């Protein structure tokens, strides 16, 4: 009998529409080529007996030393430039943690409303309004039909820059797709806009503005993407995961599919006018960047307007990326890690001509999720920081950024032993965190 991941992959390949190959860099492969199982470091692991609920060892917190002491998953892994991984630990500001609520169900994203309340998505299919005292509304009505299984469901939510006047929001979700030519139920990532009637607890004028191509069987329920960020011009950036099983396929390198891409669209869903592949034959015009895997964090640096992203690697190779138009970020041409069964991916290389390196990477993985720059005043010591939620790592990882270089790393909320799904900076400068189970937390100075 085939392992379940092989069966799922074969099903996905059969269901995928036949489309011509666009430009693809040399070195891409759809199957691993060799076995490469790291020997490990028993002494280093033994020094880290305190583990979280996923078996992840507690990070080392020695000033000036990296928080990670385990060997990399890829035995030959190495940074391409100094500071690309394992930055030194640096402690900064003490903080208090308050629980706004612990009654949410699989919260995924939040957005701040002008009246101080928050919109919170629950992956299981609910949109709720939460006030600062922790009161949770009934589910907002008017959501379209969606698929909830595995890693998919109701995902991100973002407010239109003119929300105070137009009450418009955008949200991403997994949409069921009827395909008369397939016996398998399908889904894809969809982006919708709507108007929020807060007093009625309802969405109106719900319109789907974008559907990722192609749709795939609902059994392929990983690496969906769905994070949304709105640029200064009001256009939307959205992550679309590669939806690959093991071994990985090459969809992230193909310009004729949205899989493994960041797309750039207008509020009406049309390709943005500055997109890099608008006039390329065989390329989808909404594509902004390629070579991504499972992008779980996306944000605009409020100080510069620059787009940044975090994505999950397989076993090793989680990335923090400064996203630029038309660039190829390498998946699966190169990877700072290995495949889940323990094999190398492709040629087992960590860099490749024509592709971009991340600003920072983690190997072994932390499973990065939400992403937010800190430009507030409540925590002066956190200026020039970026916060990365960690699901497997069960921490809020604070990175000090100097230009395009990570100069320090500080794990926060480690004692909670909670998977961190999202992080946002409140209008007053507090840090708000969603855990993957039930909680909305608030960090303030001690």
């Amino acid at each position: 009998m085939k392992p379940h991941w092989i069966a799922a992959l074969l099903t996905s390949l059969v269901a995928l529409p036949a489309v011509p190959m666009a430009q693809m860099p040399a070195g891409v492969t759809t199957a691993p080529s060799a076995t490469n199982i790291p020997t490990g470091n028993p002494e280093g692991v033994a020094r880290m007996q305190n583990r979280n609920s996923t078996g992840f060892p507690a990070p080392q917190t020695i000033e000036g030393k990296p928080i990670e002491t385990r060997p990399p998953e890829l035995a030959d892994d190495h940074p391409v430039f100094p500071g690309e991984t394992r930055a030194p630990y640096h402690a900064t500001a003490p903080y208090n943690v308050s629980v706004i609520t612990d009654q949410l169900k699989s919260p995924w994203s939040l957005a701040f409303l002008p009246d101080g309340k928050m919109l919170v998505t629950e992956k299981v299919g609910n949109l709720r309004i939460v006030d600062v005292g922790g009161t949770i509304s009934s589910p907002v009505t008017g959501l379209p039909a969606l698929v909830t299984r595995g890693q998919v469901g109701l995902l991100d939510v973002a407010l239109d820059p003119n929300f105070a006047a137009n009450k418009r929001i955008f949200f991403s979700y997994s949409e069921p797709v009827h395909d008369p030519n397939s016996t398998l139920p399908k889904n894809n990532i969809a982006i919708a806009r709507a108007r929020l009637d807060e007093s009625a607890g309802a969405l109106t004028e719900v319109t789907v503005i974008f559907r990722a191509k192609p749709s795939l069987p609902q059994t392929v329920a990983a690496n969906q993407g769905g994070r949304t960020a709105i640029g200064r011009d009001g256009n939307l950036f959205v992550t679309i995961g590669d939806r690959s099983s093991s071994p990985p396929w090459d969809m992230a390198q193909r310009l004729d599919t949205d899989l493994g891409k960041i797309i750039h669209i207008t509020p009406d869903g049309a390709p943005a006018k500055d997109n890099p592949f608008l006039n390329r034959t065989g390329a989808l015009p909404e594509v902004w960047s390629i070579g991504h895997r499972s992008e779980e964090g996306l944000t605009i640096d409020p100080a510069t307007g620059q787009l940044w992203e975090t994505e999950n690697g397989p076993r090793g190779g989680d990335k923090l990326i400064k996203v630029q138009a038309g660039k190829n970020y390498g998946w699966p041409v190169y990877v700072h890690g290995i495949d889940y069964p323990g094999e190398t991916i492709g040629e087992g290389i960590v860099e490749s001509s024509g592709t971009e390196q991340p600003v920072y990477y983690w190997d072994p993985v932390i499973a990065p999720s939400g992403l937010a720059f800190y430009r507030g005043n409540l925590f002066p010591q956190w200026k020039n920081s970026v916060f990365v939620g960690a699901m497997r790592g069960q921490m809020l990882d604070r990175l000090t950024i100097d230009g395009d270089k990570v100069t320090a790393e500080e794990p926060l909320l480690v004692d909670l032993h909670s998977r961190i799904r999202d992080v946002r900076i409140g209008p007053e400068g507090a840090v708000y965190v969603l855990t993957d189970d039930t909680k909305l937390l608030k960090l303030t100075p001690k």
Side-chain angles (χ1 to χ4, degrees):
M1 176 178 289
K2 296 182 179 70
H4 66 88
W5 54 267
I6 294 180
L9 179 61
L10 291 176
T11 299
S12 303
L13 290 172
V14 170
L16 189 68
V19 288
M21 290 293 289
Q23 294 184 357
M24 183 173 71
V28 178
T29 179
T30 58
S33 60
T35 299
N36 184 3
I37 301 175
T39 57
N41 181 359
E43 292 183 1
V45 173
R47 290 196 301 269
M48 303 176 74
Q49 295 298 318
N50 183 19
R51 294 172 178 267
N52 66 27
S53 61
T54 65
F56 191 94
Q60 173 178 264
T61 52
I62 300 175
E63 191 71 24
K65 300 290 185 181
I67 68 171
E68 181 61 81
T69 64
R70 296 171 296 167
E73 296 280 5
L74 179 64
D76 296 330
D77 182 46
H78 59 272
V80 175
F81 57 85
E84 191 180 17
T85 191
R86 305 201 180 202
Y89 168 74
H90 176 57
T92 53
Y95 57 92
N96 291 315
V97 180
S98 57
V99 178
I100 295 177
T101 181
D102 60 358
Q103 299 299 310
L104 297 167
K105 188 174 182 180
S106 299
W108 209 90
S109 174
L110 71 88
F112 297 98
L113 295 168
D115 62 5
K117 297 177 184 176
M118 291 160 278
L119 273 181
V120 178
T121 62
E122 295 178 318
K123 188 177 61 177
V124 293
N126 298 321
L127 177 64
R128 297 185 185 271
I129 299 172
V130 182
D131 68 20
V132 293
T135 300
I136 304 173
S137 74
S138 299
V140 173
T141 61
L143 284 173
L146 50 86
V147 176
T148 58
R149 63 179 297 165
Q151 297 179 13
V152 304
L154 181 59
L155 303 174
D156 214 352
V157 62
L159 270 59
D160 185 286
N162 296 317
F163 175 85
N166 62 27
K167 305 302 180 185
R168 189 162 64 180
I169 68 169
F170 300 91
F171 59 94
S172 60
Y173 66 103
S174 181
E175 179 187 49
V177 175
H178 173 66
D179 184 350
N181 299 315
S182 174
T183 59
L184 296 171
K186 292 186 175 182
N187 74 323
N188 61 15
I189 288 293
I191 310 300
R193 70 170 187 244
R195 295 190 189 277
L196 175 66
D197 184 340
E198 186 176 343
S199 62
L203 297 181
T204 64
E205 302 179 33
V206 178
T207 304
V208 177
I209 63 171
F210 178 82
R211 293 178 171 94
K213 297 174 284 291
S215 56
L216 293 178
Q218 292 180 16
T219 53
V220 186
N223 300 4
Q224 290 270 358
R227 284 291 180 191
T228 301
I230 300 180
R232 289 176 170 176
D233 60 1
N235 290 330
L236 284 70
F237 295 94
V238 183
T239 68
I240 310 296
D242 80 326
R243 300 189 65 180
S244 179
S245 299
S246 296
W249 55 15
D250 57 28
M251 293 297 162
Q253 292 295 321
R254 295 172 55 164
L255 291 174
D256 51 12
T257 167
D258 291 310
L259 303 180
K261 313 297 189 304
I262 293 176
I263 64 160
H264 188 210
I265 58 176
T266 70
D268 295 324
K273 293 181 179 179
D274 58 345
N275 284 355
F277 303 111
L278 275 176
N279 300 312
R280 182 174 298 191
T281 301
L284 294 178
E286 64 266 18
V287 172
W288 182 258
S289 60
I290 74 171
H292 302 284
R293 183 178 180 271
S294 181
E295 316 102 307
E296 298 290 335
L298 191 70
T299 195
I300 304 286
D301 182 348
T304 65
Q306 172 64 46
L307 182 70
W308 290 72
E309 172 253 335
T310 53
E311 66 184 67
N312 285 211
R315 282 178 53 186
D318 292 343
K319 296 177 179 179
L320 171 68
I321 290 173
K322 181 180 179 181
V323 184
Q324 296 178 298
K327 298 296 186 180
N328 182 349
Y329 291 93
W331 174 256
V333 180
Y334 80 82
V335 59
H336 292 280
I338 59 176
D339 205 2
Y340 291 113
E343 300 167 312
T344 54
I345 293 172
E347 298 177 5
I349 56 177
V350 300
E351 58 180 317
S352 179
S353 176
T355 65
E356 306 297 318
Q357 287 287 314
V359 169
Y360 196 71
Y361 75 88
W362 297 264
D363 181 18
V365 300
I366 64 168
S369 54
L371 178 67
F373 278 84
Y374 192 84
R375 304 299 188 190
N377 297 315
L378 199 59
F379 286 94
Q381 291 174 284
W382 287 354
K383 287 278 192 180
N384 301 318
S385 294
V386 61
F387 288 97
V388 179
M391 293 181 292
R392 177 162 172 76
Q394 296 190 358
M395 63 180 175
L396 180 65
D397 203 13
R398 188 197 62 80
L399 305 176
T400 302
I401 299 283
D402 183 3
D404 292 343
K405 184 176 181 181
V406 174
T407 60
E409 188 167 11
E410 181 182 19
L412 309 176
L413 302 180
V414 175
D415 293 342
L416 293 182
H417 303 293
S418 293
R419 289 165 55 91
I420 305 301
R421 173 60 68 177
D422 200 12
V423 54
R424 304 289 171 117
I425 310 304
E428 82 286 24
V431 178
Y432 293 76
V433 173
L434 286 175
T435 67
D436 204 34
D437 47 13
T438 63
K439 301 181 189 67
L440 171 57
L441 309 174
K442 181 180 180 181
L443 277 61
T444 52
K446 180 175 286 187

